[in-house]
Amino acid sequence: MNYHSKLNTCISGQNLISVDQALNLILDTIQPLDIENINLSDALSRYLAKSVYSKVNLPFFPQSSVDGYALYCDSNIEVGTKFKLIGEIRAGQTTELKLQTGQAVRIFTGAKIPEGTTTVAAQEMVQHVDSKNIIVLENLELHTNIRDIGEEISAGECLGRQGDKLSIGGIAALSMAGIHQVTVYKYPKVVVVITGDEVSESVLDLASGKIFDANSPLIYTWFSQRNQQVTIHHVEDNKEDLKVLLNNLSQNYDLILTTGGVSVGDYDFIRPVALDLGFKQIFWKVKQKPGKPMLFAEFKKANQSACYLLGLPGNPAAVYVGMQIYTECLLSSLQGQKTQPKWFQAEICHDLVGDTRERFLRMVAHFEQAKLTVKSLNKQHSHMISNLMQANCIVRIPPNTNVAAGQLVQGIFI
């Protein structure tokens, strides 16, 4: 039986697939979106679809690296050497001045050095004799404090490779080279559906069995942190209302992210409604804790583009784990990055008793004597998220495995 046959058996039967199998199915299923040209200023957190090359040298011209004085001398300069001031150059200015032996120009950081300059003396290394003459207070070697043409980047050099994710620093680096537009993968159109009758907006409702909604702000801010906005719908546990909503959303979005309603309860309608609408189930139920009853499905539109559905359980800890691992994987795959999460390795500080399912535990990671260590937090149940105030990572604990203090474990930073 081949790999996919085994997975199909697991999916159709009572067995659960593993975390790695679920992630591989996402990677195998997703088709990347088209590419587009956008302004660099709008490209934060986007993935480059084409490599970017510099069209200029950086610096474009020889510059002073300090506020000081551009000097002309045929050799290294000794303490007490006298120079005659003949002008001033600020950053952004050009000049026709050409230095001769023994001449100097007042210059500022980033300014183009005048022709004939052999050394730039920082201003604290110079003393004025009078308004027209200066002396050098320290020995200076030739070419001190001069930035050469192309010292940082040469014309034609690669600044960003296909697949690179644009960070704030990356945008600054491209902007410095005069890049104004980049070719990136389109960002998925994402919609969120929060299911359930139990959400309350007032403390007065809590006595009637309702609960506050943590999932909406969790998901909204998760996307905001990635410079993306999403539309969020709330729908009660009504099969017909959900069917109308999902049918409409499947035609207009690349990814539908749902919370709640994916298990086997009487009011868990996400899976049956999705299948009725023509979604193809890729997997349902993963051997993990929290988040076992997770659904991943694909809907083919008339134009052969796809809408994917990731159904997360309703408990907020399961939603948080699902966002950090599976939603992240989905979004990056849709943007051409078909890679597993980048797990770090660290030593765990204490023993852990094994569980039949792989567990994702919220922990605190820190460096101790040059080693990365992790320590588990209390309150790990799927309905509890108060420890997210302290957690900075999620650590995966293999199924049926007792973990001993000092053992290496895998995790991701959050």
Side-chain angles (χ1 to χ4, degrees), residues 64-69 106-110 120-124 145:
S64 173
S65 64
V66 296
D67 291 347
Y69 298 84
R106 177 73 165 127
I107 198 166
F108 296 90
T109 303
V120 176
Q123 59 189 22
E124 61 269 21
N145 298 323

Side-chain angles (χ1 to χ4, degrees), residues 70-356:
L71 311 174
Y72 183 104
C73 185
D74 291 329
S75 59
N76 293 341
I77 300 171
E78 296 182 355
V79 173
T81 304
K82 188 176 180 180
F83 291 87
K84 181 180 179 180
L85 277 172
I86 63 168
E88 178 182 285
I89 306 171
R90 290 175 291 177
Q93 288 185 326
T94 59
T95 181
E96 299 299 323
L97 289 174
K98 181 177 180 181
L99 292 179
Q100 304 293 330
T101 301
Q103 292 182 334
V105 167
R106 177 73 165 127
I107 198 166
F108 296 90
T109 303
K112 182 178 181 180
I113 62 174
E115 187 178 346
T117 301
T118 58
T119 294
V120 176
Q123 59 189 22
E124 61 269 21
M125 297 179 182
V126 169
Q127 179 180 318
H128 279 260
V129 176
D130 52 44
S131 61
K132 294 294 184 180
N133 295 280
I134 59 173
I135 59 172
V136 176
L137 302 178
E138 297 183 19
N139 294 329
L140 291 173
E141 294 184 358
L142 288 174
H143 213 69
T144 298
N145 298 323
I146 294 176
R147 300 171 181 165
D148 293 318
I149 294 174
E151 178 179 282
E152 181 178 3
I153 296 291
S154 299
E157 188 172 337
C158 185
L159 301 174
R161 300 197 177 278
Q162 180 182 5
D164 285 349
K165 190 174 184 179
L166 286 167
S167 63
I168 294 171
I171 287 174
L174 297 187
S175 182
M176 180 69 80
I179 304 298
H180 302 297
Q181 282 205 327
V182 287
T183 304
V184 297
Y185 289 96
K186 285 186 176 180
Y187 191 84
K189 291 180 64 178
V190 182
V191 64
V192 179
V193 178
I194 308 292
T195 69
D197 304 334
E198 69 273 18
V199 174
S200 166
E201 295 184 0
S202 167
V203 175
L204 299 177
D205 292 333
L206 299 183
S208 62
K210 293 183 178 293
I211 58 173
F212 288 128
D213 175 22
N215 290 337
S216 295
L218 186 163
I219 294 171
Y220 182 83
T221 53
W222 189 90
F223 279 100
S224 296
Q225 189 180 46
R226 287 152 179 79
N227 196 40
Q228 300 298 331
Q229 302 297 312
V230 292
T231 302
I232 297 181
H233 294 271
H234 289 81
V235 61
E236 294 185 350
D237 293 322
N238 181 290
K239 191 172 184 179
E240 292 307 314
D241 290 347
L242 180 62
K243 188 171 186 178
V244 170
L245 178 62
L246 289 187
N247 184 53
N248 178 55
L249 298 180
S250 66
Q251 303 299 324
N252 297 289
Y253 288 89
D254 302 305
L255 173 62
I256 303 173
L257 183 67
T258 68
T259 69
V262 289
S263 192
V264 292
D266 292 345
Y267 297 95
D268 288 331
F269 297 132
I270 291 291
R271 180 172 175 266
V273 165
L275 296 180
D276 284 347
L277 290 172
F279 277 85
K280 175 187 174 184
Q281 178 177 298
I282 307 301
F283 66 76
W284 179 45
K285 297 184 179 180
V286 182
K287 194 174 182 179
Q288 68 177 52
K289 189 177 183 179
K292 181 183 76 171
M294 182 167 49
L295 173 69
F296 177 53
E298 177 186 34
F299 178 81
K300 286 292 186 181
K301 305 176 190 179
N303 62 4
Q304 293 306 301
S305 65
C307 173
Y308 302 98
L309 186 149
L310 182 65
L312 301 174
N315 279 321
V319 171
Y320 191 76
V321 167
M323 296 298 294
Q324 296 291 348
I325 297 170
Y326 295 97
T327 306
E328 187 73 64
C329 181
L330 264 166
L331 293 177
S332 59
S333 295
L334 283 165
Q335 297 173 87
Q337 313 311 304
K338 289 179 171 285
T339 57
Q340 285 263 3
K342 293 178 173 60
W343 307 103
F344 65 73
Q345 283 197 327
E347 283 190 9
I348 193 165
C349 296
H350 50 82
D351 297 344
L352 277 177
V353 177
D355 192 280
T356 56

Side-chain angles (χ1 to χ4, degrees), residues 38-58:
I38 63 173
N39 292 331
L40 180 63
S41 57
D42 298 324
L44 182 62
S45 297
R46 301 289 290 273
Y47 290 93
L48 288 175
K50 292 182 179 179
S51 297
V52 179
Y53 299 88
S54 180
K55 296 179 181 179
V56 298
N57 293 308
L58 286 179

